[in-house]
Amino acid sequence: MATATKVDGQDKVIATAQQIVRSLATSKNAAEDMIRILSGFDNRLSSMNDLLPTAGTGCSSPTTGRVDARKEVPAAGEYHLEEAEEVIQRWESSDSLLWEASAEEAVEYLDAVDELVSLLESESLPEEFRARAEIAVQIAMARLEDEFRHLMIRNTVPLDADSLHSSIRRVSLSFNSVPGDSVEDFEESVDEDQNYETNLEPRGSSFISGDRRIDLVLPEVVSDLKEIADRMIWAGYGKELCQVYSSIRRDILDECLSILGLERMSIEEVQRIEWRALDEKMKKWIQAMKVMVRILLTEEKRLSELIFSISDDIKEECFTGAAKPCILQILNFGDAISICQRSSEKLFRILDMYEALGNVIPELHSLFSAEAKNLICGEAEGIRKRLGDSVRGTFMEFAKDVQKDVSRRPLPGGEIHPLTRYVMNYVKLFVDYSSSLDVLLDDENVLGGGNGDDTQISGSMTPVGRSLLMLMSYLESNLDEKSKHYEDGGLQCIFLMNNILYMVQKVRDSELLGLLGDNWVRRHRAQVKQYANSYLRASWTKILSYLKDDGLGGSGSTSLSGAPKRTIKEKFKSFNLAFEEIYRIQTTWKVPDSELRDDLCISISERVIPAYRAFLGRFGVQLEAGRQAEKYIKYTAEELEQFISEFFKGLPGPSNLLRKKA
């Protein structure tokens, strides 16, 4: 018995060596080298020359590198079939999983599969052997499919919110927030210090640092998955393998979208959602698009290439099956946004989506191929075009709203109108999107009209510069109409000064200057000076007439003592009443810009104080000697100058009565 056992063991050694040569020899030279090495351990192994590939006979499958047995069945074919069947059947009756057992058992199972598939590829395999081999392969493929599914699910790297948001920080993000107010809210107060530009990440930053990658499946398992995939594809079970792989990875990608905050929504649901909630979803869409394409799908592509490298067709089919539903879901949201009702607050967020989609389209072209590329990239390009149309249409609607906005009431004190604040802070964001807007607004008819000066200088400007020029012209025309709501001509001028200067400052102190140019700033600063002169005429012409010596003795007259005191008293009295009324009214007016306010007060003093001093010097002496002189000569020139310095501070009405300083 011991001798028999020893012989059996030796036979197994020889059989194993034969199997090694058959499995690993890729050429006749390689087989000879292997036999020479093995015979060094046992002389009997030198008699394996019958295993050498013959001339003109391929030694490996053109797609798998496996032994090609199609030309001739091995001499021990039946013996190897029985061995392979035994391995397959043993595991069929087991509830355990191969890759949870020892590595040796997994290798044994794969070798059995190799043997079965090699036999089936043989053209001379007897039918009874072929039927048995086919049954065994079917059983093995079901087992390998389960093993593949289990390995994929169990070894998928969990991508939680933290890991995905870490990836987001490496992606170029642009979240330029826009004012929350709509055009309908223009007449509500707008905080001067409101932050209209909230950039979570600098626009144009690199999307990934260095060559860092994320693993979707534990790297140590990828080789096992590839071993299974190789056998299933070689055996003709690639379609079943694709279904398993695509289903698993598709569910994982759906979960990633949920983590990124992008749930499935119909077009009707998107159109019904309230703006602030929709704005959050649009921001998350931009995140999801960039992270999904630039990180997750890129890694999906790499994973499919590693596992299915044996077949280009299967590799593409598996990646497409996993990725296409996910990317189409993202694109569907973009399509819904493109047909939403237009409103000004959506403009910059839609521009963010337009740019984000444009940035990833080249990568979509590189990720997908054939029909999938045509479908997905065609859909993406179509949606981007529709988003661009929405941007253009929204801009035009915004311009019309600015042009036609009707105030319900004039602002007290002639302050900067909320429309002006809104528009200027709104258009400051255009600079960040000038490249895209130059393409979308490259149409001379996007906005029509404008004054002659604007039309003359617009020829040398960029498309977005020309559009902004027209928009500013609409704003100016609207402000001019709003100024007419004030009955006081002086207050009309104060209102226009405040608003035009605010526009000038916003342009001068931002990159809008590069779009509109120095000439625009010079022309509008000149307008402010013109309105200042108009204010002086409207508010001070009448009061200065009381300080003229008409009828009291002309210039150069020496008979001032002959001027009627009653007329002089009336002049002083009228001046005092007029000045006190102006003081009462114009201290409630407001000029927010301190430099403009000081300039106006200086201009008033330069006209009023010298005239008052001259009049007081010429005629005050006739009243000083009389009774109740203080009743008419109530103020010194210095006191008047002090009172004038209090103009335009927006004082509350009841507390701004003029009182002579003690």
Side-chain angles (χ1 to χ4, degrees):
M1 287 295 294
T3 303
T5 302
K6 182 177 180 181
V7 171
D8 290 342
Q10 291 172 345
D11 290 342
K12 287 185 178 180
V13 170
I14 294 173
T16 301
Q18 291 173 332
Q19 180 65 25
I20 291 172
V21 173
R22 261 196 300 270
S23 300
L24 300 181
T26 58
S27 67
K28 184 174 181 179
N29 289 337
E32 289 175 344
D33 290 341
M34 293 173 65
I35 291 171
R36 186 167 56 254
I37 293 170
L38 291 171
S39 62
F41 296 96
D42 192 323
N43 289 331
R44 291 171 298 170
L45 299 179
S46 61
S47 61
M48 293 190 294
N49 292 329
D50 59 315
L51 299 180
L52 296 179
T54 59
T57 303
C59 67
S60 62
S61 170
T63 57
T64 67
R66 299 295 169 185
V67 174
D68 188 349
R70 286 175 294 179
K71 298 299 181 181
E72 181 180 353
V73 182
E78 182 179 3
Y79 172 77
H80 293 305
L81 173 59
E82 291 177 352
E83 262 195 349
E85 284 178 317
E86 190 276 326
V87 173
I88 301 302
Q89 290 297 336
R90 185 171 73 246
W91 279 99
E92 177 62 14
S93 61
S94 172
D95 293 330
S96 301
L97 290 166
L98 272 165
W99 271 263
E100 289 183 349
S102 66
E104 290 77 9
E105 288 177 294
V107 170
E108 180 188 39
Y109 195 91
L110 292 177
D111 287 343
V113 171
D114 290 343
E115 185 64 38
L116 291 168
V117 177
S118 295
L119 288 171
L120 287 174
E121 287 189 341
S122 171
E123 296 176 353
S124 58
L125 183 68
E127 285 303 317
E128 66 271 18
F129 288 176
R130 184 176 300 278
R132 287 167 53 190
E134 286 175 349
I135 293 172
V137 166
Q138 290 174 5
I139 295 171
M141 292 301 110
R143 156 70 63 173
L144 291 181
E145 182 179 312
D146 288 341
E147 296 279 348
F148 187 91
R149 180 185 292 106
H150 178 77
L151 285 173
M152 283 287 297
I153 294 173
R154 181 162 184 171
N155 295 282
T156 291
V157 176
L159 297 174
D160 56 16
D162 289 339
S163 62
L164 285 180
H165 286 100
S166 175
S167 297
I168 289 171
R169 285 190 290 272
R170 301 198 304 271
V171 177
S172 170
L173 297 175
S174 52
F175 298 139
N176 295 310
S177 67
V178 296
D181 306 314
S182 63
V183 174
E184 291 76 11
D185 299 324
F186 277 150
E187 294 178 16
E188 301 298 326
S189 62
V190 178
D191 183 1
E192 172 70 23
D193 296 325
Q194 183 173 353
N195 181 9
Y196 285 86
E197 300 179 68
T198 306
N199 295 321
L200 300 186
E201 292 281 343
R203 291 170 58 79
S205 61
S206 64
F207 78 87
I208 193 165
S209 58
D211 191 31
R212 295 173 63 186
R213 290 172 167 174
I214 60 174
D215 291 314
L216 304 180
V217 173
L218 293 177
E220 58 268 26
V221 179
V222 172
S223 60
D224 294 331
L225 292 169
K226 175 173 167 43
E227 290 285 353
I228 296 174
D230 284 353
R231 270 66 176 198
M232 292 189 70
I233 295 170
W234 184 28
Y237 284 76
K239 183 177 181 180
E240 292 79 359
L241 180 65
C242 274
Q243 291 174 347
V244 172
Y245 179 87
S246 298
S247 175
I248 294 171
R249 294 310 307 168
R250 185 165 56 245
D251 290 344
I252 297 295
L253 290 175
D254 280 345
E255 185 179 345
C256 289
L257 283 183
S258 297
I259 293 172
L260 291 168
L262 194 66
E263 67 249 27
R264 295 183 184 275
M265 295 180 69
S266 67
I267 291 177
E268 293 75 16
E269 289 173 326
V270 172
Q271 292 179 334
R272 287 197 303 265
I273 196 169
E274 181 267 336
W275 160 241
R276 294 191 183 277
L278 182 60
D279 183 48
E280 285 301 313
K281 292 186 180 299
M282 292 167 77
K283 287 192 287 187
K284 289 176 180 177
W285 182 92
I286 294 163
Q287 291 181 342
M289 173 60 77
K290 294 181 178 180
V291 171
M292 187 59 66
V293 175
R294 292 182 165 178
I295 297 177
L296 293 177
L297 292 191
T298 299
E299 292 305 310
E300 282 289 342
K301 181 82 167 179
R302 185 168 69 93
L303 180 63
S304 67
E305 289 174 343
L306 290 173
I307 296 175
F308 308 109
S309 60
I310 193 175
S311 169
D312 290 341
D313 290 342
I314 297 296
K315 174 175 60 183
E316 292 298 331
E317 186 177 347
C318 286
F319 169 71
T320 301
K324 185 171 76 171
C326 166
I327 200 68
L328 289 178
Q329 179 186 339
I330 299 176
L331 291 175
N332 285 340
F333 180 83
D335 199 23
I337 291 296
S338 72
I339 60 176
C340 275
Q341 183 177 359
R342 293 166 181 168
S343 56
S344 59
E345 68 269 16
K346 296 176 185 174
L347 178 63
F348 295 105
R349 193 65 69 211
I350 296 175
L351 267 168
D352 282 334
M353 294 177 66
Y354 172 85
E355 291 188 346
L357 189 51
N359 289 336
V360 301
I361 282 176
E363 292 169 75
L364 290 175
H365 275 277
S366 66
L367 286 170
F368 294 94
S369 60
E371 293 181 7
K373 177 193 286 190
N374 294 335
L375 170 66
I376 293 170
C377 295
E379 185 73 9
E381 287 162 356
I383 291 170
R384 184 171 185 261
K385 182 182 182 301
R386 291 192 286 278
L387 287 171
D389 292 340
S390 179
V391 168
R392 187 185 297 105
T394 301
F395 181 82
M396 294 172 68
E397 290 292 328
F398 175 69
K400 290 176 183 177
D401 288 339
V402 170
Q403 188 177 29
K404 298 175 181 178
D405 178 70
V406 178
S407 296
R408 294 185 291 270
R409 61 189 182 279
L411 288 176
E415 287 194 66
I416 301 165
H417 200 280
L419 173 64
T420 309
R421 294 183 188 276
Y422 183 86
V423 172
M424 294 310 300
N425 284 289
Y426 191 83
V427 300
K428 278 175 63 179
L429 298 176
F430 278 48
V431 177
D432 290 335
Y433 301 90
S434 56
S435 296
S436 295
L437 288 171
D438 275 337
V439 174
L440 296 173
L441 302 179
D442 189 12
D443 183 350
E444 294 180 359
N445 297 316
V446 169
L447 296 175
N451 60 48
D453 291 336
D454 286 343
T455 304
Q456 186 176 1
I457 67 171
S458 65
S460 60
M461 301 177 71
T462 63
V464 67
R466 287 195 298 271
S467 298
L468 287 179
L469 192 66
M470 293 297 100
L471 183 61
M472 304 286 259
S473 177
Y474 291 168
L475 176 58
E476 291 175 53
S477 297
N478 192 302
L479 291 172
D480 189 62
E481 288 298 315
K482 284 176 168 42
S483 72
K484 296 173 183 176
H485 295 165
Y486 297 102
E487 295 181 2
D488 190 308
L491 187 53
Q492 290 180 11
C493 296
I494 293 295
F495 172 78
L496 290 170
M497 267 191 290
N498 281 334
N499 283 271
I500 297 300
L501 180 62
Y502 182 84
M503 294 170 66
V504 168
Q505 290 170 336
K506 286 293 183 180
V507 171
R508 183 194 61 198
D509 298 338
S510 72
E511 294 183 29
L512 285 173
L513 181 62
L515 294 174
L516 293 173
D518 292 324
N519 188 50
W520 187 94
V521 172
R522 284 193 295 270
R523 286 193 299 110
H524 286 78
R525 289 193 72 87
Q527 277 188 322
V528 173
K529 291 181 180 179
Q530 291 171 5
Y531 288 130
N533 291 331
S534 298
Y535 156 78
L536 292 170
R537 288 193 299 271
S539 291
W540 296 96
T541 297
K542 184 175 181 180
I543 191 172
L544 288 173
S545 69
Y546 298 133
L547 301 180
K548 293 182 178 179
D549 56 7
D550 299 340
L552 301 178
S555 177
S557 172
T558 58
S559 57
L560 296 178
S561 59
K565 285 187 177 182
R566 187 178 65 181
T567 303
I568 295 172
K569 289 178 180 180
E570 287 298 324
K571 289 269 191 180
F572 273 106
K573 183 178 180 181
S574 296
F575 174 83
N576 292 336
L577 289 173
F579 186 85
E580 289 165 1
E581 179 66 8
I582 286 179
Y583 179 90
R584 183 185 67 81
I585 293 172
Q586 297 198 11
T587 51
T588 65
W589 295 359
K590 188 169 184 180
V591 176
D593 184 78
S594 59
E595 185 178 346
L596 176 60
R597 184 170 63 245
D598 291 344
D599 287 345
L600 285 172
C601 291
I602 291 171
S603 296
I604 295 168
S605 295
E606 287 176 346
R607 285 162 176 76
V608 174
I609 302 305
Y612 184 77
R613 279 200 179 101
F615 189 82
L616 183 62
R618 295 173 70 126
F619 302 108
V621 66
Q622 297 188 42
L623 303 181
E624 288 173 352
R627 297 171 57 188
Q628 297 182 323
E630 291 183 352
K631 182 178 179 181
Y632 302 101
I633 306 175
K634 296 175 66 174
Y635 310 108
T636 66
E638 290 72 23
E639 288 172 335
L640 289 178
E641 192 166 15
Q642 177 60 36
F643 292 139
I644 290 171
S645 70
E646 297 173 7
F647 282 26
F648 315 122
K649 293 185 176 180
L651 300 175
S655 64
N656 69 333
L657 297 178
L658 189 150
R659 293 182 177 86
K660 185 175 179 179
K661 302 296 184 287

